[in-house]
Amino acid sequence: MFSFRPASRSSFKNSDWWQNPFYILGLILLSAVPLFWPELPPLTDAPGHLGRYRVELGIHQSPWLYQWYSFDWHLVGNLGFDLFIIPLAHLFGLELGLKIGVIIMVMVTAAGLLAVAKAVHGKIPPTAAFALPFIYGFPFQFGFLNYCLSMALTFNAFALWITLKNSPYLRAFIFIPFGIIIWSCHSYGWGILGLLCFSADFSSDYRNARRNNQPILSALFQAGYKSALAMLPLLPPILLMILWRSGHVSDGNGDWFRFDLKIEWVLSALRDRWQNFDIASIGVACFILLLGRLRLAPPMGLACFILLIAYICLPRILLSAAFADMRLAPYVFALALVGLKAPKNQNFARIAAIAACLFFTIRTAATTVSFWLYDQGYQKQLKAVDFMAPGSRVLAMVSTPCLMTWVSNHMSHLPAMATVRKDAFTNSEWAIAGQQLLTIHFPEAKRFIHDPSQSLYPRQCRFRGSADLDKTLESFPRQAFDYFWLMDIPPSLWPHEDDLIPIWSGENGILYKIDHRFTTASPMLSAPKIGSKPKAVPAVK
């Protein structure tokens, strides 16, 4: 999509410096800077994914994992990083492999957005850099790795689709496997690719028909017919979808037309740590679109309109996957910004390019600091893992902010790192029938077998069946676990029980070893004492 031929001296003097290939390459490389310093990508679901990958790659070698987990390879539309991690883990190890994989994904997404800009405009517009911070939007912060990988591939595939408009047979040949690959990464990405490709062809065919003086209705019909035929190479995943959803899967759909949440997701498209700054950044993006009078290049105007309609119509839960609508919001912003036509006035174009570069730089710097702070919190809590025996069973409880609380600690699945590093069982994994290849079988754990039994929400946002520290201490089956791990919970709430022996404590975190002698003597212990002073614990700084 891009030409990175050595730039001549005259090209550096070109007033359109934002089209310089070194500038474009710099944007792609700098987009990954926030991920360089953290030891782990500080994304909410990422540790849980890592725990699943450890089972995927190590269940046949570990003497412990098979006791609690199964990993059954079969076809689902949600395999992106489960496949991508295999070569990465072999080359770099599991944890570093995930970090490198996420960095690659971010750069591929940036390259894809810029490739779309080049395909629709014929050159990179000055405002293109405004779109890149949306790569770190709320879906990415949540750690929806398979979905984000599918979107990275979708943008690049969409740019190629536009470029090959006049080579329909070559395009059909290429996009049959492309569609299957993107669907395999995540079915949502394949659906969005279909909407984008149809929009681009329909827009082009309609304009061609109108240039030939065809009536509006005739032009609409002809464009719709030709665009539908062009979509045939992208249809094979429909058969895969039927096979996937015809098995023993969960097909939960719900929370339709929650406009209160949809407004929240728009405001949260760049949600990270500093609410006023993040919402102001959304305001800047909207201002740029309005300043450009929403003049989008022809394929992008219709594409963004169709995606906006899809966003309004999507439920919050689709095919048992949560936040189906939220995942789309940042990418609609990104596509609209790369589709914005360049100002005709060259001075305005230069100002727009400088503003875009500053916006990208400021957001990247803020995300870098934010990710460093998240990582510091991770490392403080993960010191507890060093005190766990390999193959142990860990019941964890993590302080988890309410969903609508702007700042998150990104720790709700961090206990899964005990699985990664010690082949331990933890109660923070999720296993939705038909969505993941992981199955959990540990009936002794009772209701503390999987997510969200580890999440300790504030009382004002707890839902039926969610965790409560007092009730957990009263009811969790001591004989099924070896350790009790409290994470990001202040010392004033730490319990002091005879059968819970503190073996490590740090800042707002403590690890207890469960004394099973008390379990044998008295399965139902007396009510726990919360807030009393725990026994002396070796503090690890």
Side-chain angles (χ1 to χ4, degrees), residues 213-458:
N213 297 319
Q214 291 193 23
I216 293 178
L217 289 178
S218 175
L220 289 172
F221 177 80
Q222 180 177 326
Y225 175 73
K226 292 179 66 175
S227 301
L229 285 180
M231 296 297 295
L232 290 178
L234 291 175
L235 295 185
I238 291 178
L239 299 176
L240 303 179
M241 181 74 79
I242 293 171
L243 291 173
W244 172 30
R245 307 312 296 182
S246 62
H248 179 63
V249 298
S250 177
D251 277 316
N253 304 309
D255 262 5
W256 296 85
F257 301 111
R258 286 288 305 276
F259 291 108
D260 56 333
L261 289 178
K262 291 184 187 296
I263 293 172
E264 181 77 23
W265 303 148
V266 170
L267 295 175
S268 301
L270 286 173
R271 176 172 160 182
D272 184 2
R273 181 180 294 272
W274 299 284
Q275 183 174 11
N276 291 338
F277 172 66
D278 296 337
I279 293 178
S281 298
I282 295 296
V284 170
C286 292
F287 175 75
I288 293 300
L289 290 171
L290 293 175
L291 191 64
R293 300 178 184 177
L294 295 175
R295 294 173 60 251
L296 306 184
M300 301 308 298
L302 181 60
C304 290
F305 177 75
I306 289 178
L307 289 181
L308 183 60
I309 297 299
Y311 174 73
I312 293 171
C313 294
L314 278 171
R316 187 180 68 86
I317 302 173
L318 181 64
L319 301 178
S320 296
F323 307 112
D325 52 352
M326 177 271 280
R327 302 176 190 224
L328 190 54
Y331 295 115
V332 176
F333 271 109
L335 287 169
L337 288 164
V338 298
L340 195 63
K341 290 182 178 179
K344 294 181 180 179
N345 184 292
Q346 192 66 13
N347 290 328
F348 285 162
R350 292 194 195 97
I351 293 171
I354 293 171
C357 190
L358 286 174
F359 181 78
F360 169 74
T361 302
I362 292 169
R363 283 297 313 182
T364 300
T367 304
T368 300
V369 173
S370 179
F371 276 22
W372 180 81
L373 292 171
Y374 285 129
D375 183 66
Q376 295 301 297
Y378 274 22
Q379 300 312 316
K380 290 176 182 178
Q381 301 297 331
L382 288 177
K383 291 176 182 177
V385 177
D386 296 335
F387 291 79
M388 299 176 187
S392 52
R393 302 159 300 172
V394 182
L395 177 66
M397 296 200 74
V398 186
S399 176
T400 305
C402 299
L403 178 62
M404 295 307 176
T405 301
W406 198 269
V407 183
S408 171
N409 57 13
H410 288 199
M411 289 186 185
S412 59
H413 297 287
L414 193 58
M417 293 306 297
T419 303
V420 176
R421 297 178 178 179
K422 291 297 179 81
D423 283 0
F425 171 85
T426 65
N427 60 315
S428 63
E429 283 293 339
W430 62 92
I432 303 172
Q435 287 288 345
Q436 283 85 35
L437 308 181
L438 181 73
T439 304
I440 305 173
H441 45 82
F442 187 29
E444 294 83 1
K446 298 183 179 178
R447 68 182 182 88
F448 303 98
I449 192 171
H450 54 61
D451 171 71
S453 65
Q454 85 287 1
S455 293
L456 182 63
Y457 292 99

Side-chain angles (χ1 to χ4, degrees), residues 9 96 122 142 168 170 200 269 286 365-366 371 433 491:
R9 182 172 299 180
L96 180 58
F142 232 110
L170 176 61
C286 292
F371 276 22

Side-chain angles (χ1 to χ4, degrees), residues 69-285:
Y69 303 110
S70 299
F71 198 89
D72 176 28
W73 283 104
H74 55 276
L75 185 67
V76 300
N78 189 22
L79 291 176
F81 258 87
D82 293 73
L83 296 173
F84 191 27
I85 196 64
I86 296 174
L88 291 172
H90 283 298
L91 290 172
F92 306 107
L94 184 54
E95 294 184 36
L96 180 58
L98 179 69
K99 176 177 176 175
I100 291 173
V102 174
I103 288 173
I104 292 172
M105 178 179 73
V106 166
M107 292 194 294
V108 170
T109 308
L113 286 170
L114 295 173
V116 169
K118 180 75 177 293
V120 300
H121 297 286
K123 57 185 179 181
I124 301 295
T127 54
F130 277 113
L132 300 187
F134 286 90
I135 297 171
Y136 288 87
F138 201 19
F140 182 82
Q141 299 271 346
F142 232 110
F144 296 147
L145 298 183
N146 294 344
Y147 170 74
C148 291
L149 180 60
S150 74
M151 293 302 295
L153 299 178
T154 289
F155 293 143
N156 286 276
F158 179 49
L160 184 61
W161 180 275
I162 296 173
T163 303
L164 296 178
K165 168 67 176 176
N166 296 322
S167 304
Y169 295 109
L170 176 61
R171 188 171 74 173
F173 178 76
I174 291 174
F175 272 82
I176 290 174
F178 271 23
I180 294 173
I181 290 170
I182 292 174
W183 179 89
S184 298
C185 285
H186 200 284
S187 57
Y188 288 7
W190 165 73
I192 293 169
L193 175 64
L195 294 177
L196 290 173
C197 293
F198 179 83
S199 301
D201 274 20
F202 184 90
S203 176
S204 175
D205 293 335
Y206 175 76
R207 284 183 288 113
N208 289 337
R210 290 294 290 158
R211 287 194 194 103
N212 294 328
N213 297 319
Q214 291 193 23
I216 293 178
L217 289 178
S218 175
L220 289 172
F221 177 80
Q222 180 177 326
Y225 175 73
K226 292 179 66 175
S227 301
L229 285 180
M231 296 297 295
L232 290 178
L234 291 175
L235 295 185
I238 291 178
L239 299 176
L240 303 179
M241 181 74 79
I242 293 171
L243 291 173
W244 172 30
R245 307 312 296 182
S246 62
H248 179 63
V249 298
S250 177
D251 277 316
N253 304 309
D255 262 5
W256 296 85
F257 301 111
R258 286 288 305 276
F259 291 108
D260 56 333
L261 289 178
K262 291 184 187 296
I263 293 172
E264 181 77 23
W265 303 148
V266 170
L267 295 175
S268 301
L270 286 173
R271 176 172 160 182
D272 184 2
R273 181 180 294 272
W274 299 284
Q275 183 174 11
N276 291 338
F277 172 66
D278 296 337
I279 293 178
S281 298
I282 295 296
V284 170

Side-chain angles (χ1 to χ4, degrees), residues 475-492:
S475 63
F476 86 85
R478 260 72 165 176
Q479 71 279 4
F481 294 96
D482 302 302
Y483 297 98
F484 184 56
W485 187 9
L486 298 183
M487 188 177 295
D488 205 29
I489 294 175
S492 60

